[in-house]
Amino acid sequence: MKKVLFYTNQFFGQIGGESEAYFKPQIYEGARGAANSFVPQLREIAEISATIVCGDNFYAENMETCQTFVKEQIRSIKPDLIIAGPAFNAGRFGIACGDVCKTAKSLGVEAITGLYEENPAVEMFRKECYILKVGKSAAGIRKAVPLMGGFAKKLLTGQRIGFPDEEQYYPRGQRVNYFSSSLGSERAVEMLIAKIKGLPFETELPISSYQRVEPAKPIKDLSKAKIAFCTSGGIVPVGNPDHLVSAAAKFWKAYPVGEASRLVSGEWECVHAGYDPVYINEDPNRVVPYDALYRMQQEAKVGSIHPFLVTTTGNSTSVLDATRMGNEIAEYLSAAAVDGVILTST
Amino acid sequence: MELELRNIRINDVILGKQNRLFEGVLTLDAEALRAHLMEDDRIASIRIDVAKPGESCRIVPVKDVIEPRVKEEGEIFPGSFGSDVPEVGSGITYVLKGCAVVTTGPIVGFQEGVIDMSGPGAQYSMFSNLINIVLHIEKRSDLDPHEHEKTVRLAGLKAASWIAAIGRDYADYEAETISWPSLEERASQYPGLPKVVYVCNCMAQGLLHDTYYYGRDAKLISPVTISPNEYADGAVVSGNCVSPGSKTTTYHHLNNAVIRSLLARDGKELNFIGIVLVPLMVTLKEKYRNIMITTRLVCDELNADASLISQEGFGNPTTDLMRICHNLEKRNVKTVIITNEDAGIDGMSEPLPDMLPEANAIVSTGNSNATILLPPMERVLGHLSDVKSVTGGSVESIKEDGSLLMEIHGIMGSHNLQGNTYLTAKTL
């Protein structure tokens, strides 16, 4: 028999109502309160070894204490799965359930909970654990038990977990490839016919929202400013010493430019796979106009030039990697007391 | 315009001493083919191999894949050779199904990919199911990269038409007719059905990022209407565009999946009214120009009710894709997009670098950043070491035993953006 550790709050753990919201975490042997409704579901596969009950306010205001308590119980009981909630649309209870699951996962123990879609804990914890879609209030318990119980059984018996819409869990945000039974072009025509007829259809790629970056304030006096170049054009010293890739780069580099008045052809090369590199290899100043900036510095129009070229390959780079590299580069440039940066793309 | 395709099923290909097609077995006079291609004095040497489905064989770096086709009268791949640009799209075209010409040889740039004839990689490439006639082409040493690319591209086309000519008098074929009447007739033939336009985006961005339209560099064209018949006769040829997984090879153009899917529904659920070929260019002004002209052609000239856009490439071309979709939806043209995604190795990133709210109907051909381990193959045609430079590969990709750990980006046609793949992705 597998072992399940159950988590619930003061209300569903039959301690009391709002007046018991500061009830300190307690462990009870076997199933208690809401946990009892899961017992028939799990029969022959798992038993509910114990139930943790904790008041919602206590958990919300003493998270570290509660996490320690949960960890201690997990270490002594060694459960195969944690079931928390379901917490429906209850905010504090939802956060406690999500946090219990996150804590369990940090110890390598699988954990699930059930929440209503508007519960703020969904957004907070959807990447941490499986959160099943349940009703708004406790009246939804009748549907929630078979859904969560069935899902728990799958996890406990090592069955394949289906897609979010099949299993009714909130997507964790991870894009995963698979082979469809029909060609992309066929699916596109099907989708188009549905869209024309006003029938329901489901896009295969939901619209993303992007982080907006507020531009920095203008430089007041360029003649005193230190300017740097940063390119996503994949320009590297010839020989590509750090093996910068031609696409999907995960790192950036700062290479010394030295005292030169321009990027010298033959000393630099382009490794970027997303554009025609021939003209850049002929004259790297075409993608990083170092020669022009050098002239402006000689004419005292620009204070100084940061003597390193910051470079990476911007080609099929995921938005997430690009965001991380952008943050790293911004920190590097601030540390080098750079006032302004010219970003060149391709 | 009416075109008869005579599809001949090829079951085996043998390199021999004379050309022959008998009971589906194609025998090639390899020496004669070699001599024919060597007429181009930019080529220093050619080696010809055959790679069959199921074999422990890896072809890398692949530049283009071409289906052997030839016209009974006239010229396939019009405008690619000679000084004349003959008309195509009518008459009879012979097609050798089940086989392809694959060009390989020293790497030109970064856009050349892998075809595995067996193993897990074979599931990702439609070309793994074909009998591939592999041309390993070495260029003359003084050629620059642009001339190198052109030489290899033309050699592949030349070989495809030379090989297909062996099928000219072969009686055992399956006939398929594509008829494409005048716009006036098309517009009136199915009055109750929604008029659908196919917008075919193609790369036009320089070395290994180009497309050729009647032999003309697509950087020099504006968006233009084109028929399924012209596609079938090779009016659109790949300049070995974009990364291997998302490139539209000449084989893809000849067998354009969107055109085939739309023709299958034509007159039933929709009225396939037209195709617009759109070059995806580098600068913003060119993008704005082509987006504007495309909108005009789809909405004002073809008077579409709906459109389907296929994509090529990613990054800056995503902007063209989104803007065209935005414009068409604003003009009440219901639009569906086919594109791949770059969601990162772990799939946790935003899948596209640019998106507009009108793009609410997208077919995904998969996350190109997902990695795959390709086991070593007994035979390698080409140069395995070039994997370090190709899209999806790196220095760390090549393992000591010859296996490859790379992004599926590097596999030819893995996430073809004309939807000629079963691969897709979902959010977990």
Side-chain angles (χ1 to χ4, degrees), chain B residues 41-44 138-145 148:
Chain B
D41 68 3
R42 294 171 295 188
I43 298 176
E138 302 259 356
K139 63 159 183 126
R140 219 176 53 203
S141 60
D142 61 329
L143 297 190
D144 68 15
H148 182 187

Side-chain angles (χ1 to χ4, degrees), chain A:
Chain A
M1 284 291 256
K2 303 266 184 177
K3 285 188 283 188
V4 171
L5 175 60
F6 203 90
Y7 175 86
T8 191
N9 71 352
Q10 79 282 3
F11 180 73
F12 291 99
Q14 290 173 341
I15 303 298
E18 193 59 27
S19 59
E20 296 291 341
Y22 282 96
F23 183 76
K24 287 184 184 169
Q26 286 286 326
I27 182 99
Y28 298 92
E29 201 176 317
R32 183 185 169 95
N36 281 301
S37 40
F38 286 85
V39 172
Q41 277 280 321
L42 300 173
R43 186 168 293 143
E44 289 169 13
I45 291 167
E47 58 171 8
I48 297 178
S49 308
T51 306
I52 299 172
V53 182
C54 178
D56 288 333
N57 285 354
F58 188 86
Y59 201 107
E61 292 169 28
N62 304 278
M63 283 182 91
E64 270 180 42
T65 312
C66 293
Q67 286 159 4
T68 309
F69 181 85
V70 169
K71 280 182 184 168
E72 279 166 9
Q73 306 314 316
I74 290 173
R75 286 196 184 106
S76 80
I77 295 166
K78 299 188 178 59
D80 300 287
L81 177 72
I82 312 281
I83 301 176
F88 308 103
N89 200 25
R92 290 163 307 168
F93 185 22
I95 290 167
C97 287
D99 195 61
V100 166
C101 291
K102 187 180 173 182
T103 305
K105 297 277 281 193
S106 74
L107 297 179
V109 178
E110 192 58 79
I112 65 168
T113 183
L115 299 172
Y116 180 63
E117 60 187 20
E118 286 173 20
N119 194 317
V122 172
E123 274 316 304
M124 290 167 71
F125 295 102
R126 66 194 299 165
K127 286 185 182 168
E128 312 291 342
C129 63
Y130 288 112
I131 303 175
L132 289 131
K133 294 179 180 176
V134 302
K136 199 167 184 174
S137 68
I141 189 83
R142 247 187 299 161
K143 280 186 185 169
V145 170
L147 177 70
M148 290 175 69
F151 192 80
K153 264 202 282 196
K154 277 195 166 178
L155 283 174
L156 288 165
T157 53
Q159 290 180 59
R160 191 189 71 88
I161 299 297
F163 290 122
D165 45 355
E166 294 163 21
E167 306 278 4
Q168 292 289 298
Y169 61 87
Y170 297 98
R172 291 189 290 180
Q174 183 184 24
R175 298 293 291 171
V176 176
N177 284 344
Y178 72 101
F179 290 98
S180 167
S181 57
S182 60
L183 274 184
S185 60
E186 289 291 329
R187 302 199 308 279
V189 173
E190 290 286 346
M191 195 184 285
L192 187 63
I193 290 169
K195 194 170 181 181
I196 293 167
K197 289 184 175 166
L199 298 171
F201 64 89
E202 202 181 329
T203 183
E204 295 178 1
L205 200 51
I207 295 165
S208 302
S209 56
Y210 302 97
Q211 208 187 332
R212 294 270 164 205
V213 179
E214 202 186 319
K217 291 205 169 58
I219 293 171
K220 276 188 189 135
D221 184 358
L222 202 56
S223 69
K224 293 193 172 65
K226 185 177 180 183
I227 305 297
F229 271 116
C230 176
T231 185
S232 59
I235 308 301
V236 295
V238 75
N240 193 10
D242 297 296
H243 306 305
L244 183 65
V245 286
S246 60
K250 308 282 182 299
F251 65 84
W252 56 276
K253 284 280 159 188
Y255 291 114
V257 177
E259 299 297 310
S261 59
R262 54 186 293 117
L263 300 184
V264 180
S265 167
E267 291 179 6
W268 300 84
E269 68 171 317
C270 167
V271 298
H272 192 297
Y275 67 99
D276 185 343
V278 170
Y279 307 104
I280 305 304
N281 288 333
E282 270 173 19
D283 183 358
N285 298 279
R286 284 174 174 150
V287 71
V288 179
Y290 194 89
D291 52 352
L293 191 65
Y294 184 84
R295 246 185 347 261
M296 289 175 77
Q297 191 212 352
Q298 294 302 300
E299 292 163 7
K301 288 178 180 160
V302 165
S304 63
I305 305 176
H306 181 59
F308 291 84
L309 170 62
V310 179
T311 181
T312 187
T313 301
N315 182 29
S316 178
T317 311
S318 76
V319 175
L320 208 60
D321 281 327
T323 308
R324 174 185 48 80
M325 286 193 276
N327 288 335
E328 291 167 4
I329 291 168
E331 272 179 35
Y332 159 84
L333 292 171
S334 311
V338 167
D339 300 300
V341 57
I342 299 171
L343 300 175
T344 71
S345 66
T346 48

Side-chain angles (χ1 to χ4, degrees), chain B residues 227-377:
Chain B
S227 66
N229 307 43
E230 291 164 281
Y231 263 97
D233 273 348
V236 181
V237 160
S238 169
N240 309 313
C241 316
V242 210
S243 67
S246 53
K247 80 164 77 186
T248 314
T249 65
T250 301
Y251 189 99
H252 288 117
H253 282 304
L254 291 168
N255 292 283
N256 188 306
V258 175
I259 293 177
R260 299 194 80 82
S261 296
L262 285 172
L263 282 174
R265 309 296 186 100
D266 190 29
K268 295 170 190 141
E269 287 143 305
L270 52 86
N271 183 3
F272 186 12
I273 194 87
I275 306 170
V276 180
L277 179 69
V278 184
L280 301 167
M281 296 190 57
V282 176
T283 63
L284 201 54
K285 187 165 182 178
E286 295 295 349
K287 287 181 188 298
Y288 283 142
R289 177 181 293 117
N290 289 343
I291 291 162
M292 180 275 293
I293 296 172
T294 302
T295 310
R296 284 249 312 105
L297 288 175
V298 174
C299 301
D300 302 330
E301 294 294 324
L302 297 166
N303 193 23
D305 299 307
S307 76
L308 206 162
I309 315 175
S310 72
Q311 176 67 339
E312 187 167 25
F314 42 81
N316 79 70
T318 311
T319 299
D320 304 61
L321 176 71
M322 289 295 155
R323 284 276 146 201
I324 293 171
C325 175
H326 167 91
N327 280 12
L328 298 183
E329 283 280 342
K330 288 285 174 212
R331 298 282 302 267
N332 291 321
V333 176
K334 300 261 188 292
T335 298
V336 168
I337 282 171
I338 308 176
T339 181
N340 73 324
E341 47 187 285
D342 294 312
I345 286 176
D346 61 2
M348 292 306 286
S349 177
E350 289 85 349
L352 289 177
D354 190 8
M355 257 188 156
L356 291 171
E358 289 77 15
N360 60 8
I362 301 180
V363 163
S364 166
T365 59
N367 174 17
S368 54
N369 297 139
T371 50
I372 187 169
L373 181 65
L374 303 173
M377 295 280 153

